[in-house]
């Protein structure tokens, strides 16, 4: 081996030990003859000091190196002075005094800084053009190490519970699913094509029918569709199948796996357990979406009954036409400016609402363009139902249920980001259950699968079919 230790493993207890390191020059600083090199490998950083008083030849080599040179250093570990300890590095209590140094490979000046605090201003297109350099960054290396740890944990956990990992073919017959297939021409069958699987769904069913009661795979999926937030042309997913089980058996094993995995791969995170279980109807009623962010409150409040007979026709008219009136309460936002209110209104309109009613509760008075159309009783009822305090801003949407849900859900997430309501170290998974099997598409005037078509109906619905 060209090194005895990695750059990230040396600690104060290694002081006095002779070591050999090899890695990339993360940064180099010349302090009037004494040269400091931050040496980097996949495991972390170590400070190397080259001084003519320690070893003149090693100092000469250090004088030649530049950023991203690959070097080998032999030296002795020593503790840093108390005022020079770097608390941001795990190896920040020590440094290596270089006795020998060797340049293993030179480097041109990189098109962008590799060390992480400089990457905020680097254009993504430039990073992708030089992907091999981008992958040297600490963040990218942590991401790949995390992926490895997650996949390894899944394999170990599921194997312990009797699952078999079974690979399925990439080249397969095209099957109608939710997206377009990538096609691969066949040389031995001219004019015919294989399809890359969107998901190994058909093959999973074959394995289950064949008697493989517990099986999983870390599956590659391919979909020839436009890229968007929750879709990529190529991605990886955990596919897991179980026979002779109830719904809760599946939920329990996945919940247990995820909870234990987080404790191993991300011990700094806090996970809410047990995972809350919401019906589809409850998720939409409380959060306006079937994928709610459960890390903060600000739930939707139904105030339909309080304004059913209101003289404010925006409210009463929506109710009479079969709609509903709901609100969210944003803490401490009563002093929002006209511009900020307009920005919130735009968010609501982008999600189908015709407008947004806002009530700002300031001391003894309520402020807002629509206050004059609401009675004291209605204002008091709204405040009580949403739990508004002095200084809070209430946002109300009156429309069809799906529009109310979409617009208030979007506003809820807008306030989440503006008010920084989420603890970044908190993870809150949740189960959303009892999805409707079909939903009506107004634009195309037809019924469509609300979930995916492989979802099993509830047993008590068979009698109704």
């Amino acid at each position: 081996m060209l090194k005895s230790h990695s750059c990230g493993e040396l600690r104060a207890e290694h002081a006095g030990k002779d070591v050999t390191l090899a890695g990339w020059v993360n940064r180099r600083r010349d302090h009037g003859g004494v040269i400091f090199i931050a040496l980097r490998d996949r495991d972390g950083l170590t400070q190397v000091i080259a001084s003519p008083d320690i070893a003149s030849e090693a100092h000469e080599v250090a004088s030649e190196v530049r950023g991203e040179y690959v070097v080998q250093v032999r030296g002795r570990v020593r503790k840093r002075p108390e005022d020079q300890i770097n608390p941001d590095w795990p190896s920040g209590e020590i440094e290596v005094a270089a006795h020998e140094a060797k340049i293993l490979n030179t480097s041109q000046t990189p098109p962008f800084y590799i060390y992480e605090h400089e990457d905020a201003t680097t254009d993504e297109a430039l990073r992708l053009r030089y992907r091999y350099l981008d992958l040297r960054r600490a963040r990218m290396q942590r991401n790949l190490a995390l992926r490895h740890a997650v996949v390894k944990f899944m394999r170990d956990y599921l194997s312990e519970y009797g699952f078999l990992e079974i690979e399925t073919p990439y080249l397969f017959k095209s099957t109608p699913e939710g997206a377009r297939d990538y096609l691969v021409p066949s040389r031995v069958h001219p004019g015919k094509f294989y399809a890359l699987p969107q998901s190994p769904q058909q093959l999973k069913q074959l394995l289950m029918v064949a008697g493989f009661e517990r099986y999983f795979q870390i599956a590659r999926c391919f979909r020839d569709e436009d890229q968007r937030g929750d879709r990529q042309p190529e991605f990886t997913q955990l596919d897991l199948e179980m026979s002779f089980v109830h719904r809760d058996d599946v939920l329990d094993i996945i919940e247990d796996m995820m909870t234990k995995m987080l404790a191993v791969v991300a011990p700094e995170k806090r996970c809410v357990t047990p995972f809350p279980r919401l019906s589809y109807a409850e998720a939409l009623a409380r959060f306006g979406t079937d994928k709610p962010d459960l890390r903060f409150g600000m739930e939707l409040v139904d105030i339909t009954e309080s304004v059913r007979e209101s003289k404010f026709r925006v409210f009463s008219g929506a109710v009479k036409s079969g709609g509903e009136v709901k609100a969210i309460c944003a803490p401490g936002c009563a002093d929002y400016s006209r511009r900020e209110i307009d920005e919130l209104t735009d968010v609501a309109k982008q999600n189908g609402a015709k407008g947004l009613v806002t009530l700002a509760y300031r001391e003894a008075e309520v402020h807002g363009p629509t206050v004059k159309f609401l009675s004291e009783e209605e204002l008091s009822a709204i405040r009580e139902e949403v739990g508004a305090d002095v200084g809070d801003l209430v946002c109300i949407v009156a429309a069809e249920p799906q529009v109310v849900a979409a617009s208030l859900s979007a506003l809820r997430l807008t306030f989440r980001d503006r008010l920084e309501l989420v603890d970044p170290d908190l993870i809150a998974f949740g189960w959303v259950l009892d999805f409707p099997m079909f939903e009506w598409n107004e634009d195309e005037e037809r019924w469509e699968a609300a979930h995916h078509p492989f979802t099993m109906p509830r047993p008590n619905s068979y009698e109704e079919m």
Side-chain angles (χ1 to χ4, degrees):
M1 295 289 290
L2 293 184
K3 57 183 180 179
S4 62
H5 296 76
S6 70
C7 293
E9 69 175 296
L10 297 177
R11 299 292 185 272
E13 57 265 26
H14 293 99
K17 187 177 181 65
D18 290 328
V19 299
T20 303
L21 302 179
W24 287 261
V25 174
N26 202 57
R27 279 184 290 174
R28 173 188 173 278
R29 294 173 292 134
D30 191 334
H31 285 205
V34 178
I35 297 173
F36 295 88
I37 295 174
L39 195 64
R40 181 191 77 242
D41 64 13
R42 193 188 76 185
D43 201 39
L45 294 160
T46 292
Q47 177 167 282
V48 175
I49 179 171
S51 169
D53 296 335
I54 300 173
S56 58
E57 291 184 3
H59 179 263
E60 289 178 9
V61 173
S63 300
E64 298 177 19
V65 304
R66 296 294 183 269
E68 296 309 301
Y69 274 38
V70 183
V71 300
Q72 181 189 48
V73 174
R74 291 186 176 91
R76 180 161 295 175
V77 181
R78 66 187 192 187
K79 291 185 177 180
R80 294 198 203 185
E82 288 290 333
D83 60 345
Q84 295 180 21
I85 290 175
N86 186 342
D88 297 329
W89 293 7
S91 63
E93 291 184 279
I94 59 92
E95 62 190 8
V96 174
H99 296 158
E100 299 178 39
K102 180 180 180 181
I103 296 175
L104 301 179
N105 200 7
T106 60
S107 172
Q108 297 179 3
T109 301
F112 55 85
Y113 291 108
I114 305 299
Y115 47 93
E116 189 154 358
H117 72 274
E118 296 286 356
D119 72 349
T121 58
T122 302
D123 179 66
E124 183 179 23
L126 181 63
R127 289 196 290 108
L128 292 176
R129 180 181 177 185
Y130 296 95
R131 189 60 160 171
Y132 60 95
L133 296 177
D134 185 43
L135 290 173
R136 293 182 188 178
R137 295 189 301 122
R139 179 180 179 183
M140 297 301 295
Q141 300 213 341
R142 284 197 304 269
N143 287 347
L144 292 177
L146 175 62
R147 179 189 173 93
H148 162 77
V150 167
V151 171
K152 180 181 184 301
F153 186 94
M154 288 177 173
R155 285 194 164 108
D156 293 344
Y157 178 94
L158 293 171
S159 297
E160 182 180 345
Y161 279 86
F163 287 80
L164 297 179
E165 181 176 9
I166 304 176
E167 292 185 351
T168 54
Y170 281 153
L171 299 178
F172 193 58
K173 177 182 178 181
S174 180
T175 57
E177 295 187 43
R180 290 178 292 272
D181 293 325
Y182 282 111
L183 299 179
V184 180
S186 171
R187 178 185 60 82
V188 296
H189 301 288
K192 297 185 181 297
F193 297 81
Y194 292 104
L196 299 180
Q198 297 176 35
S199 170
Q201 190 66 48
Q202 298 291 339
L203 299 169
K204 288 189 296 183
Q205 302 305 321
L206 289 175
L207 288 166
M208 301 306 289
V209 172
F212 292 93
E213 298 179 15
R214 292 192 172 202
Y215 126 87
F216 78 96
Q217 64 176 284
I218 312 297
R220 302 288 289 195
C221 302
F222 307 89
R223 294 175 180 172
D224 187 8
E225 59 183 15
D226 297 333
Q227 190 163 342
R228 56 185 192 271
D230 60 349
R231 283 286 187 243
Q232 298 180 48
E234 179 182 345
F235 60 93
T236 306
Q237 67 186 31
L238 170 65
D239 274 335
L240 179 152
E241 299 286 332
M242 301 170 67
S243 294
F244 307 118
V245 292
H246 296 292
R247 180 189 72 180
D248 287 353
D249 297 321
V250 179
L251 302 187
D252 288 343
I253 197 166
I254 294 176
E255 183 170 329
D256 185 60
M257 180 184 70
M258 295 300 294
T259 302
K260 291 178 178 176
M261 181 177 67
L262 281 170
V264 172
V265 305
E268 73 281 3
K269 302 292 184 180
R270 294 182 295 107
C271 182
V272 176
T273 55
F275 296 175
R277 298 186 180 186
L278 311 174
S279 69
Y280 175 85
E282 182 184 0
L284 259 62
R286 293 173 56 186
F287 303 101
T289 176
D290 59 5
K291 44 184 180 294
D293 188 339
L294 301 175
R295 296 172 296 172
F296 71 108
M298 200 181 290
E299 297 184 15
L300 280 58
V301 179
D302 192 335
I303 61 172
T304 302
E305 293 305 317
S306 296
V307 297
R308 179 179 293 276
E309 303 299 330
S310 176
K311 294 182 179 180
F312 184 41
R313 292 185 178 179
V314 171
F315 288 169
S316 57
V319 176
K320 288 178 182 178
S321 62
E324 62 185 13
V325 186
K326 286 190 173 183
I328 57 173
C329 180
C333 297
D335 291 328
Y336 264 25
S337 66
R338 182 71 260 170
R339 178 182 60 81
E340 290 172 311
I341 296 296
D342 288 343
E343 290 173 352
L344 297 177
T345 303
D346 288 340
V347 172
K349 287 182 176 179
Q350 290 166 10
N351 287 273
K354 293 180 179 179
L356 179 69
V357 174
T358 57
L359 301 176
Y361 289 88
R362 303 174 189 163
E363 297 300 334
E365 295 184 350
V366 186
H367 294 262
T370 60
V371 168
K372 59 186 176 182
F373 301 111
L374 299 171
S375 67
E376 290 293 333
E377 292 76 11
E378 288 169 341
L379 291 171
S380 178
I382 292 171
R383 179 173 184 173
E384 183 177 351
E385 289 189 70
V386 302
D389 292 325
V390 173
D392 293 347
L393 179 71
V394 174
C395 297
I396 306 172
V397 174
E400 306 84 49
Q402 60 270 29
V403 172
V404 172
S407 52
L408 286 182
S409 174
L411 284 170
R412 181 175 178 266
L413 298 184
T414 299
F415 283 118
R416 175 198 65 186
D417 298 337
R418 286 190 176 190
L419 303 179
E420 298 181 348
L421 298 176
V422 169
D423 179 352
D425 288 329
L426 178 65
I427 295 178
F429 292 110
W431 294 107
V432 178
L433 310 170
D434 301 328
F435 275 76
M437 196 70 177
F438 301 100
E439 61 185 357
W440 181 253
N441 186 320
E442 291 285 353
D443 295 333
E444 299 189 15
E445 296 186 347
R446 62 172 181 156
W447 290 98
E448 294 180 340
H451 210 265
H452 59 75
F454 306 105
T455 303
M456 176 182 174
R458 291 181 61 87
N460 60 10
S461 65
Y462 292 140
E463 298 177 0
E464 303 171 4
M465 297 175 65

